């Protein structure tokens, strides 16, 4: 009857949670899982509210994900996106498949009828049955932007562009000076979020982007404090293996906030719950020093040398295989999370 809460971004968080559910099905069938999802990547596009991380988690756990892409649906056409592009509208670099568009249309319809994002998410999950309680981090719009260091295309130096434009259009290859999270300071945690952290037996930071996924969730007022105060153990899984971001560009985000791309540096950036942490208030670029959030941090076996450094920093650590190659190798990572949580 273990209560587990996961703080997730998109692909990394979704794949980890799928492995966790498999592990729990075999070992702890009465357990329940709540996934608090980053909504900082959300945006309005073509008149629709797009929630990339919520949808990736919902489709992955509900059996509707396009496995090769890691987002969107399998076997969908781009006919609608192509038509929108023919009008010169939308973002041609951010294609939305037509099955996926149905989700955005239904969500937007619900939001325009007065539902909150939590309510719309619950409605969509009635169809997908992800096997977890899926909660957006906040019902208020929080949108991560980056500030451009230099002019590019139609943008001037110093302009803010949406995170997804930097990530998908520019593949994070144009220099930016900071993250600016519009709406963050006045946002509040969505209903159930603080309770899910407070009442959990175990909180997991899966191998999601530590800056724009987990960092954004932690920056919602009240969430970091809830993690500091919970009686649950808090265990993280490194998204960095051997000094690079696995299948991703998280290193570009870490560079912007001045954190080295290494398993040890990311663990120490989250900080030990037992001592002061490194980053705190003011969004993911800020430094408030309000305290760390981890009891334990798993690193990959190639990063075994990081264990001593993390333990010196007050974070219990172990080096185990962290490549999520398939569901069963990911379930093995979840097993390691459960094992180390029993030791702290
Ligand atoms: P996004 O919102 O779709 O970018 O997904 P997340 O923020 O949840 O996770 C992205 C991060 O997952 C990447 O930056 C990688 O560092 C990490 N990641 C992806 N695959 C693996 C894997 O197999 N093992 C580990 N340890 N991390 C991974
Ligand atoms: Ca994301």
């Amino acid at each position: 009857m273990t209560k587990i809460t996961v703080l997730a971004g998109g692909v990394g968080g979704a794949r980890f949670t799928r492995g966790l559910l498999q592990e729990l099905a075999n070992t702890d069938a009465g357990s329940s899982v709540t996934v608090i999802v980053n909504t900082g990547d959300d945006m309005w596009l073509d008149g629709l509210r797009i929630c990339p991380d919520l949808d990736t988690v919902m489709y992955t756990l509900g059996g509707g994900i396009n496995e090769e892409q890691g987002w969107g649906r399998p076997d969908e056409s781009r006919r609608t996106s192509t038509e929108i592009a023919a009008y010169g509208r939308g973002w041609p670099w951010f294609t939305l498949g037509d099955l996926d568009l149905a989700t955005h249309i239904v969500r937007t319809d619900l939001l325009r009828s007065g539902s909150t994002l939590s309510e719309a998410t619950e409605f969509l999950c009635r169809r997908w049955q992800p096997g977890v309680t899926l909660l957006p981090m906040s019902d208020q719009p929080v949108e991560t932007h980056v500030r451009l260091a230099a002019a590019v295309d139609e943008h001037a130096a110093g302009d803010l562009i949406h995170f997804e434009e930097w990530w998908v259009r520019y593949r994070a290859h144009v220099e930016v000076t900071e993250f600016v999270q519009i709406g963050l300071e006045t946002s509040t945690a969505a209903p159930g979020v603080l309770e899910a952290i407070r009442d959990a037996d175990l909180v997991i930071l899966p191998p999601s982007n530590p800056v724009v996924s987990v960092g954004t969730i932690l920056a919602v007022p009240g969430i970091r404090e809830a993690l500091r105060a919970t009686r649950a153990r808090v265990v993280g899984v490194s998204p960095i293996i051997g000094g690079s971001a696995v299948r991703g560009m998280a290193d570009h985000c870490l560079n912007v906030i001045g954190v080295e791309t290494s398993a040890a540096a990311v663990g120490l950036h989250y900080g030990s719950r037992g001592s002061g942490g490194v980053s705190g208030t003011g969004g993911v670029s800020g430094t408030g020093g309000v305290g760390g959030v981890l009891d334990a941090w798993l690193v990959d076996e190639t990063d075994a040398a990081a264990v001593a450094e993390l333990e010196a920093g007050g974070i219990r650590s172990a080096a185990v295989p962290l490549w999520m190659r398939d569901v069963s190798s990911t379930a093995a990572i979840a097993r390691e999370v459960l094992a180390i949580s029993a030791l702290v």
Side-chain angles (χ1 to χ4, degrees):
M1 300 241 251
T2 322
K3 285 198 214 164
I4 299 178
T5 296
V6 181
L7 272 50
V11 179
R15 289 193 175 154
F16 174 83
T17 306
R18 184 167 56 182
L20 173 68
L21 290 179
Q22 164 152 319
E23 178 60 18
L24 293 172
N26 294 331
T27 59
D28 189 358
S31 55
S32 62
V33 177
T34 298
V35 185
I36 298 168
V37 182
N38 169 48
T39 55
D41 302 355
D42 294 8
M43 68 201 141
W44 288 101
L45 187 62
D46 304 327
L48 300 172
R49 190 67 179 161
I50 317 288
C51 303
D53 290 358
L54 275 171
D55 289 348
T56 288
V57 176
M58 182 175 76
Y59 293 154
T60 300
L61 301 182
I65 194 72
N66 180 322
E67 289 287 345
E68 290 85 65
Q69 285 179 172
W71 48 271
R73 305 278 310 281
D75 304 319
E76 53 183 351
S77 92
R78 300 280 160 83
R79 293 183 64 190
T80 307
S81 285
T82 306
E83 283 296 299
I84 293 169
Y87 286 105
R89 302 288 295 178
W91 283 353
W93 63 89
F94 199 91
T95 40
L96 296 168
D98 50 6
L99 302 184
D100 190 27
L101 274 164
T103 302
H104 311 315
I105 290 168
V106 172
R107 175 190 294 116
T108 305
D109 182 25
L110 292 165
L111 293 174
R112 290 182 60 120
S113 313
S115 295
T116 62
L117 181 59
S118 299
E119 290 163 349
T121 302
E122 188 187 350
F123 183 90
L124 295 169
C125 286
R126 274 184 222 159
R127 172 178 175 205
W128 289 102
Q129 296 289 317
V132 301
T133 303
L134 203 59
L135 301 177
M137 67 183 195
S138 177
D139 277 340
Q140 286 96 40
V142 172
E143 295 193 8
T144 302
H145 286 62
V146 293
R147 192 177 300 284
L148 293 172
V152 57
D153 296 327
E154 69 273 27
H155 307 298
D159 276 2
L160 289 177
I161 62 170
H162 194 284
F163 169 74
E164 290 286 357
E165 182 170 4
W166 182 55
W167 204 239
V168 179
R169 181 181 187 183
Y170 296 116
R171 313 295 305 163
H173 279 107
V174 298
E175 199 191 328
V176 302
T177 55
E178 63 172 338
F179 292 100
V180 175
Q181 288 162 303
I182 296 170
L184 181 71
E185 263 118 69
T186 53
S187 69
T188 53
V193 164
L194 298 180
E195 293 80 353
I197 295 171
R198 188 190 62 204
D199 299 339
D201 300 301
L202 171 63
V203 177
I204 304 176
L205 309 194
S208 283
N209 187 308
V211 184
V212 293
S213 294
V214 178
T216 301
I217 300 173
L218 293 178
V220 172
I223 291 191
R224 176 179 289 268
E225 293 73 11
L227 272 173
R228 300 265 304 155
T230 179
R231 62 183 172 81
R233 298 293 170 240
V234 183
V235 178
V237 178
S238 178
I240 305 299
I241 297 180
S244 57
V246 188
R247 302 186 198 99
M249 305 177 290
D251 49 328
H252 293 269
C253 299
L254 289 164
N255 290 342
V256 175
I257 65 162
V259 173
E260 187 196 322
T261 300
S262 74
V266 172
L268 293 168
H269 169 69
Y270 283 133
S272 160
R273 279 219 292 171
S275 60
V278 181
S279 70
T281 51
V284 297
S285 293
T287 51
V290 294
V293 297
L294 290 176
D295 294 310
W297 182 241
L298 292 180
V299 301
D300 185 70
E301 46 192 356
T302 60
D303 294 311
V307 169
E309 190 182 344
L310 287 154
E311 297 211 330
I315 301 169
R316 179 97 190 201
S317 184
V320 298
L322 290 189
W323 276 91
M324 300 189 287
R325 282 188 307 279
D326 49 28
V327 179
S328 69
S329 57
T330 309
I333 300 173
R335 202 173 310 137
E336 296 290 352
V337 169
L338 297 166
I340 202 168
S341 76
L343 302 176
V344 290

